[in-house]
Amino acid sequence: MTVFSIRWRRIAATFILAFACGTAAVAQERRAYAPPDLTSVRAATAEHGMVVAQERIAAQVGADILKQGGNAIDAAVATGFALAVTYPRAGNIGGGGFMVIHSAARNEDAAIDYRETAPAATTPDMFLGPDGKPDTDKSRNSALGIGVPGTVAGLALALEKYGSGRFTLAQILKPAIELARDGFAVTDDTADTLPDMYRRMARWPDSAKTFSRSDGTALREGDRLIQAELAVTLTAIAEHGPRGFYQGPVAEKLAKAVRDAGGIMTVDDLKSYEAVIRSPVRGIYRGYDIVSMPLPSSGGTVLLETLNILEGFPMPDMKQGSAPSLHVMIEAMKRAYADRARYLGDPAFVNAPADLLISKDYAAKLRGGIDLARATPAEALSAKPPREGSNTTHYSVVDSSGNAVSNTYTLNFSYGVGLVADGTGVLLNNELDDFTAAPGASNAFGLVGFEANLPGPGKRPLSSMSPTIVLKDGKPVLVTGSPGGSRIISAVLQVVVDVLDYKMDVAAAVATPRLHHQWMPDVVRVEQGFAQETLDALREKGHHVIEPLGQTSANSIAVTPNGLLGAPDPRTRGAAAVGQ
């Protein structure tokens, strides 16, 4: 065995351990999904507007804004702030994310990057231990992993630039403030996840106070969750705009809480945060325009690279869910995820060859290396040295004027790092774990990275979030996205392929079983529901197929001549499509 082979076998083993084991914070993401009978799955219908989100109260808040004459952007911002109250494990003002907008009035597509940034005191080696090796406890379980939150700035920017003008920020925030102040019954996904996560969160006194009963145990189904301090923080934002969060008393309390817990974020870090409007990454797949998120999210680039590879195969002639169809999809994923690891990072710090990676010629070259009979070993895609240089939620909104929003935002782990900043009610992220602690190391989802994604002051960690809008003749036909860490891109890919290539109803496309390959570890993760003969055929081709996949939740909307079809993902209890 060569030294090269030994090296990559050791690295692969490390990735398998990270991906399969993870931490208690992401363990609940890996519960098996049993797909429903697809013949019985039905999309929700609407004529004038639709919001599809992972939590029903927040979806209703957004739909109410549409009913009052707001556009899709107004509704998306209202939904985002409401989720910060009603879906604490991923909805947030203490994290960050990405929004893709199609503005029908302006005939414009835009991407808003409100990803968290690293504090000014960040160093490339901050997540290494005394032995020079990655110390995952620092990035995942300590306040060092907290990035400067971007959600408030991003949502406010979206409303200012693309909202209808009918609503002030204070009016948009009113439902969220009332929900935080008056409380609501714990149910659905929060009731499913909070008891497990509470043990991790309870080490922080304000977290324990917020999410516990009077006897000190976690809130459970039917209990009322009241977040009075969060209501005060949201009120400050309503009265002063983003300055109410990034400056003044709230910012001082946030910075103090982080530093008291051992982190490095300061008031100046908060004051200097800015959301960024970027040009979306765009491509064409079988005559449809794919509009998705550019760097520092890898999602759009990897999605388009994968679709470009698949475009050269007769996907419609291969039965959906069959071994031939899944094989070429796996091989395309494998190559695109390998390029993600090699090249991609924050564009302010890294000159990544994104245009090359999404070119048709490059896809043709990669496609030529796919053997239809055999799986390509992952290590064979890494012969050249890399070039230098989950928990999440997604919702989709469409209005009657043809505006569309695809928004994905996150705290990273379920309930983030678990720290509620004293006096603010804000649950904070551990998003800096998405940096690469050292070249060749992997994050909690097993994603490997190299120099392009090392930590740095002011830098935005690479993401997999893939909010995506599919257009035909300049009009939306599909709005989709998903949570799920490294599995986000593959989830979105499969929804797009199932809708466009296999002409599946959007509800069936969302509910059908998914699989995932991310280059390293060299395994295909699958959900329940694939035919055993299909899995056996993949194994015969050389794929290492294992269960479970882990959570994804592709809450999607299809725009059809007969109206809007909303597909809440059945993988999340309480996901809802609310239309009018």
Side-chain angles (χ1 to χ4, degrees):
M1 185 180 295
T2 66
V3 173
F4 175 83
S5 297
I6 294 172
R7 173 178 176 264
W8 277 102
R9 286 178 185 274
R10 288 174 178 170
I11 292 176
T14 302
F15 296 158
I16 291 171
L17 181 63
F19 192 85
C21 298
T23 69
V26 292
Q28 57 85 25
E29 296 290 357
R30 301 192 179 104
R31 291 171 181 165
Y33 166 66
D37 178 3
L38 296 184
T39 61
S40 66
V41 173
R42 294 290 181 271
T45 60
E47 184 177 353
H48 302 295
M50 177 78 75
V51 179
V52 184
Q54 269 179 274
E55 195 281 318
R56 65 181 75 244
I57 298 174
Q60 185 65 60
V61 167
D64 288 344
I65 293 292
L66 291 175
K67 189 174 183 180
Q68 295 169 41
N71 67 9
I73 295 83
D74 299 331
V77 174
T79 301
F81 278 119
L83 282 168
V85 180
T86 63
Y87 197 63
R89 81 171 173 115
N92 71 82
I93 59 172
F98 302 100
M99 180 182 288
V100 174
I101 296 170
H102 174 73
S103 174
R106 300 185 186 191
N107 191 28
E108 177 186 347
D109 300 308
I112 297 181
D113 169 6
Y114 58 100
R115 180 68 156 160
E116 302 90 337
T117 56
T122 298
T123 62
D125 60 356
M126 66 184 289
F127 296 133
L128 302 182
D131 59 358
K133 296 180 180 179
D135 182 346
T136 58
D137 192 60
K138 287 184 176 181
S139 61
R140 300 175 192 177
N141 300 315
S142 83
L144 283 174
I146 299 172
V148 182
T151 296
V152 172
L155 295 183
L157 180 61
L159 184 69
E160 176 189 354
K161 295 292 186 182
Y162 298 99
S164 67
R166 292 174 178 265
F167 298 89
T168 65
L169 182 59
Q171 290 171 315
I172 290 290
L173 277 160
K174 187 173 182 288
I177 293 169
E178 292 174 349
L179 284 162
R181 182 192 63 215
D182 301 334
F184 58 94
V186 172
T187 187
D188 295 328
D189 186 72
T190 299
D192 293 341
T193 58
L194 182 56
D196 287 343
M197 293 299 103
Y198 180 74
R199 290 190 295 273
R200 180 170 180 267
M201 298 163 67
R203 59 195 169 130
W204 312 111
D206 224 52
S207 305
K209 180 178 68 176
T210 301
F211 294 105
S212 69
R213 293 170 161 177
S214 58
D215 63 1
T217 61
L219 294 174
R220 300 196 176 260
E221 185 104 27
D223 289 340
R224 197 159 194 83
L225 174 56
I226 296 174
Q227 301 167 82
E229 291 180 346
L230 181 57
V232 173
T233 296
L234 292 169
T235 300
I237 299 167
E239 293 176 349
H240 304 290
R243 287 187 298 109
F245 184 85
Y246 292 99
Q247 300 178 45
V250 171
E252 292 168 3
K253 292 174 183 176
L254 288 170
K256 183 179 186 302
V258 172
R259 294 183 73 84
D260 286 350
I264 56 176
M265 191 171 70
T266 67
V267 170
D268 286 341
D269 290 322
L270 286 157
K271 185 177 180 180
S272 63
Y273 183 86
E274 291 185 358
V276 180
I277 298 178
R278 301 188 187 276
S279 297
V281 63
R282 307 180 66 98
I284 297 175
Y285 183 69
R286 305 199 195 279
Y288 291 87
D289 293 309
I290 311 297
V291 182
S292 194
M293 198 67 210
L295 293 171
S297 177
S298 67
T301 301
V302 176
L303 174 66
L304 286 174
E305 182 177 341
T306 311
L307 286 171
N308 285 339
I309 296 170
L310 292 179
E311 194 172 36
F313 292 109
M315 300 299 291
D317 296 339
M318 305 177 187
K319 182 181 177 183
Q320 193 278 337
S322 68
S325 172
L326 297 176
H327 172 70
V328 295
M329 195 174 296
I330 292 165
E331 291 298 302
M333 288 180 196
K334 194 182 299 182
R335 285 156 174 79
Y337 272 95
D339 283 342
R340 178 196 191 276
R342 288 189 186 102
Y343 302 121
L344 301 186
D346 185 343
F349 293 79
V350 176
N351 187 21
D355 290 343
L356 169 65
L357 298 181
I358 63 173
S359 70
K360 299 292 186 182
D361 288 345
Y362 183 65
K365 179 180 178 181
L366 295 180
R367 190 185 310 119
I370 294 176
D371 184 338
L372 294 179
R374 296 294 301 170
T376 304
E379 65 183 48
L381 302 176
S382 312
K384 296 181 180 179
R387 196 184 78 158
E388 187 171 354
S390 156
N391 195 292
T392 307
T393 187
H394 176 83
Y395 56 91
S396 300
V397 187
V398 175
D399 66 25
S400 59
S401 299
N403 301 300
V405 175
S406 181
N407 189 79
T408 312
Y409 68 163
T410 184
L411 290 169
N412 195 29
F413 282 8
S414 188
Y415 300 90
V417 76
L419 170 62
V420 173
D422 187 27
T424 70
V426 176
L427 188 57
L428 290 163
N429 67 85
N430 59 348
E431 202 60 62
L432 301 190
D433 181 62
D434 275 355
F435 282 124
T436 296
S442 58
N443 70 3
F445 294 93
L447 279 173
V448 62
F450 293 94
E451 286 85 350
N453 194 38
L454 286 173
K459 194 173 182 180
R460 299 173 190 238
L462 192 62
S463 171
S464 295
M465 287 182 272
S466 310
T468 298
I469 299 174
V470 179
L471 306 172
K472 184 68 173 178
D473 300 325
K475 297 180 180 179
V477 296
L478 177 66
V479 183
T480 190
S482 179
S486 59
R487 304 175 294 271
I488 292 173
I489 305 167
S490 57
V492 173
L493 169 74
Q494 287 164 92
V495 172
V496 170
V497 168
D498 286 342
V499 170
L500 299 189
D501 280 325
Y502 294 112
K503 310 303 179 186
M504 292 178 69
D505 172 85
V506 66
V510 166
T512 198
R514 298 181 189 132
L515 52 68
H516 172 75
H517 198 299
Q518 62 183 47
W519 174 56
M520 284 287 184
D522 194 0
V523 297
V524 180
R525 288 193 168 269
V526 299
E527 291 179 321
Q528 294 180 17
F530 289 100
Q532 187 59 49
E533 56 266 31
T534 299
L535 300 181
D536 291 343
L538 290 175
R539 291 186 175 104
E540 288 175 3
K541 290 178 180 291
H543 296 291
H544 182 199
V545 180
I546 60 177
E547 290 187 35
L549 170 63
Q551 189 202 28
T552 51
S553 190
N555 301 291
S556 305
I557 300 174
V559 184
T560 76
N562 298 318
L564 305 174
L565 301 177
D569 199 313
R571 292 163 180 81
T572 301
R573 188 163 75 99
V578 183
Q580 51 130 0

